[in-house]
Amino acid sequence: MTSTFAPTRKSTASARSVAAVVAAAALLVACADSAREPPLAPARSGTLAMACPELATRLAYADATFAAEFVSAGEMRVAGVPVGAHCRVTGRMHERTSPIDGQHYAIGFEMRLPLAWNGRFYYQANGGVDGNVMPAAGLATSGPGSASALVRGFAVLSSDAGHSAAQNATFGIDPQARLDYGYQAVAVLTPLAKAVIRMAYGREPDRSYIGGCSNGGRHTLVAAARMPDAYDGFLVGDPGTELPRAAIANLAGGRAYAALATSAADLGTAFTVAERRLVSDAVLAKCDALDGASDGLVADTAACQAAFDLSRDVPTCSGARDGTCLSAAQKATIAQLFEGVRTRSGTTLYAPFPYDAGLATGDWASWKFVAPSTRDAGAIGIVWQVPPANPSAFDARAFMLAADVDALLARVQATNATYAQSAVDFMTPPHLQNYSGVRRHGGRIVMYHGTSDPIFSSAHSVSVYEGWSRGSGAPASSFARLYLVPGMNHCRGGPSADAVDFLGPLVEWVESGRAPEAVIASVRGPGDPAGVNADLPPSWSASRTRLLCPWPRTAHYVGGDLESAGSFTCR
């Protein structure tokens, strides 16, 4: 796909008062225009119809087992925020022994059912290659604890997507486990969860939401495409929308960095932290002030790609590398990777990555220099390609070093008698540009993406969002919003204001018809119960707030306190 962000070789004070910030936020929420469908009815509150022990004896659903326990108020906390009293239901569904690898599989899940229920259901789509039933807190990765769906009274479900962590990545040998991970676990757990809610509260949820980041964002977009009537709101974070392609691109990146590395044991020596900080600083020098404020953030990512040129704006080494320059070979390789890995025919495999200010972080390094020979190699070699590699003899580093883009792409698109559905089919949302089903149902999508995400490109999410206007029969803005988070790495962190409540605006849009415009983002400062973002520059105020604007608008400084969102507007 093409993107507004695609780089080319040439263009490659103290915070304002809380009251002022809240007032600014209120002024920046606009009503949906009259051409959009009317909002769905608001959810109604309810209470558990019975105590947890009784509920455990009454729960029944085909091919599922249950257990339940009472969790008292304050016993669980989400990012420092106490959770009200609730019933924790655990269970397993579709237990079986695989005829292919002889392993025992089941779809494990957890539900948390508040005593004081707000009438809503939230499916917590987890990340990575799944395998763990994470606590069903319903917290978007970049959100503060108060944004937790469970804290707010939603009934929440979490699952392992059909396999255990101990089975990663060997579950890819079993074809059904592949499909459960791709999309079928969400498909079978959704009606189960609504049935449990009906048994627990006497009625099904009035409104249903699903959300997650990374692979959880992919799960959410897959659900929006495959079952648009099952959910009313979709919260999509840094999605691995075309995950197999992105993983192949990252594997190719690992191979390219290996050729530059000065230590075979450390790919990071190909592009050291000092060199990455050099490039980040060069990006800031060209792009920081494009929004009218020199504040360590690149708010106008699209304009930055035209303003910054790696070849021109970063010194070229005339001698040894010392952190103050890049060699000609480094520049050539890094430029090619940011432009997007290509097949032999010249087609972009996945997407370009925008130049941004968050390259010098541990998260960026982990995804670029560690993941290729671990996560990406295992996922491609065992979970996605046909036929899968033999896990007992699999050498992940050798797989990375031998990576051939065209051959790997063919393997993740292949099928055979045992693996009847390719990875590209079971991992990718079908008809990716047509989300008219969500629009017709009255559903809404809120998508966000960090512009310094090193594994899934924010430029790709821009292309996906723009494609919805072409393929869904109406402007994407009639049913979706996209927010780019400047400086944020993969789902969180980076030199960014990464603490954002996107769930509240999504619910407001679905149930009241008020479409979100700008939203307020804050940094994770000292004392924040969500934890301190170690990537924050020391010069930033711990109470810094920023506006995040719906694409294609960006935040621009209009004067006043540089640490306050109230000093910016969307243009």
Side-chain angles (χ1 to χ4, degrees):
M1 296 181 179
T2 59
S3 169
T4 309
F5 285 1
T8 64
R9 293 187 184 276
K10 183 174 190 310
S11 58
T12 43
S14 62
R16 208 170 266 185
S17 69
V18 172
V21 172
V22 171
L27 289 172
L28 288 162
V29 176
C31 293
D33 64 60
S34 58
R36 296 178 187 144
E37 296 81 357
L40 301 172
R44 302 160 294 154
S45 61
T47 57
L48 270 177
M50 64 196 77
C52 279
E54 183 181 358
L55 178 61
T57 64
R58 294 197 179 190
L59 288 174
Y61 195 86
D63 207 9
T65 59
F66 299 93
E69 63 176 345
F70 177 73
V71 180
S72 59
E75 184 177 337
M76 177 185 182
R77 301 176 77 85
V78 179
V81 179
V83 176
H86 61 277
C87 187
R88 176 176 177 259
V89 175
T90 57
R92 294 167 68 81
M93 189 179 189
H94 293 174
E95 294 198 55
R96 61 188 176 83
T97 298
S98 168
I100 306 299
D101 64 5
Q103 296 295 307
H104 187 74
Y105 291 96
I107 302 173
F109 62 88
E110 168 182 297
M111 292 189 69
R112 293 186 184 255
L113 308 173
L115 269 61
W117 179 48
N118 68 8
R120 302 180 180 95
F121 163 53
Y122 187 89
Y123 190 116
Q124 175 182 307
N126 294 315
V129 285
D130 285 286
N132 293 292
V133 181
M134 304 299 291
L139 177 63
T141 306
S142 64
S146 58
S148 156
L150 183 62
V151 167
R152 293 181 173 184
F154 286 69
V156 183
L157 177 140
S158 168
S159 94
D160 60 12
H163 60 273
S164 70
Q167 292 169 322
N168 285 336
T170 61
F171 76 87
I173 301 300
D174 180 69
Q176 182 58 51
R178 286 185 172 203
L179 300 183
D180 286 339
Y181 167 61
Y183 67 96
Q184 291 188 8
V186 175
V188 298
L189 285 174
T190 296
L192 174 144
K194 294 183 179 183
V196 169
I197 290 170
R198 182 175 64 248
M199 289 180 264
Y201 297 104
R203 61 182 174 88
E204 290 196 359
D206 295 315
R207 293 288 156 253
S208 296
Y209 297 82
I210 180 171
C213 199
S214 188
N215 180 54
R218 181 200 65 85
H219 276 305
T220 303
L221 282 180
V222 169
R226 290 185 176 272
M227 42 199 299
D229 295 336
Y231 289 94
D232 307 304
F234 304 85
L235 181 53
V236 183
D238 289 49
T241 311
E242 296 189 72
L243 215 165
R245 286 176 173 267
I248 294 172
N250 207 45
L251 202 68
R255 181 180 180 181
Y257 283 125
L260 293 173
T262 58
S263 168
D266 182 6
L267 289 187
T269 59
F271 191 16
T272 67
V273 64
E275 293 166 337
R276 289 184 278 117
R277 188 174 293 113
L278 173 73
V279 175
S280 290
D281 289 345
V283 171
L284 285 173
K286 284 291 182 180
C287 304
D288 189 356
L290 291 175
D291 64 348
S294 295
D295 58 355
L297 285 169
V298 178
D300 196 338
T301 309
C304 182
Q305 306 319 299
F308 177 74
D309 186 312
L310 182 70
S311 177
R312 178 195 66 209
D313 298 326
V314 175
T316 303
C317 297
S318 58
R321 289 167 47 193
D322 61 2
T324 65
C325 57
L326 295 179
S327 70
Q330 282 180 300
K331 284 189 174 184
T333 296
I334 293 166
Q336 288 173 357
L337 294 177
F338 271 79
E339 289 170 5
V341 172
R342 297 178 182 274
T343 64
R344 280 190 290 274
S345 67
T347 302
T348 300
L349 171 69
Y350 169 59
F353 283 79
Y355 289 104
D356 199 64
L359 277 62
T361 67
D363 184 74
W364 200 94
S366 175
W367 283 106
K368 292 299 188 186
F369 307 136
V370 178
S373 63
T374 54
R375 303 176 191 178
D376 297 316
I380 297 165
I382 303 172
V383 180
W384 295 327
Q385 74 175 14
V386 173
N390 179 359
S392 64
F394 187 69
D395 184 330
R397 180 174 176 81
F399 188 84
M400 176 194 74
L401 293 176
D404 179 278
V405 168
D406 292 77
L408 292 176
L409 182 59
R411 291 180 206 167
V412 300
Q413 293 174 326
T415 62
N416 64 18
T418 302
Y419 305 95
Q421 194 168 357
S422 76
V424 168
D425 286 339
F426 69 71
M427 291 294 292
T428 307
H431 49 78
L432 182 56
Q433 290 194 339
N434 184 358
Y435 275 62
S436 58
V438 172
R439 180 177 57 80
R440 286 195 299 267
H441 173 69
R444 300 291 183 259
I445 301 172
V446 169
M447 181 162 59
Y448 62 92
H449 208 131
T451 55
S452 284
D453 188 331
I455 183 63
F456 301 138
S457 171
S458 60
H460 188 260
S461 284
V462 169
S463 292
V464 168
Y465 180 82
E466 291 174 342
W468 292 344
S469 290
R470 296 188 293 272
S472 299
S477 60
S478 66
F479 64 91
R481 289 287 187 274
L482 168 63
Y483 295 89
L484 301 184
V485 187
M488 189 173 81
N489 287 152
H490 187 53
C491 294
R492 61 166 50 170
S496 65
D498 66 342
V500 193
D501 172 18
F502 287 111
L503 179 59
L506 175 60
V507 171
E508 184 79 1
W509 193 9
V510 168
E511 300 182 23
S512 298
R514 287 186 282 274
E517 294 301 326
V519 297
I520 302 292
S522 63
V523 301
R524 298 181 185 274
D528 184 338
V532 176
N533 178 352
D535 301 319
L536 294 179
S539 61
W540 290 14
S541 167
S543 55
R544 170 178 282 200
T545 56
R546 281 294 179 268
L547 290 187
L548 299 183
C549 302
W551 175 264
R553 289 183 287 162
T554 58
H556 286 260
Y557 181 63
V558 292
D561 183 358
L562 197 60
E563 299 298 327
S564 173
S567 300
F568 293 77
T569 190
C570 292
R571 294 179 183 169

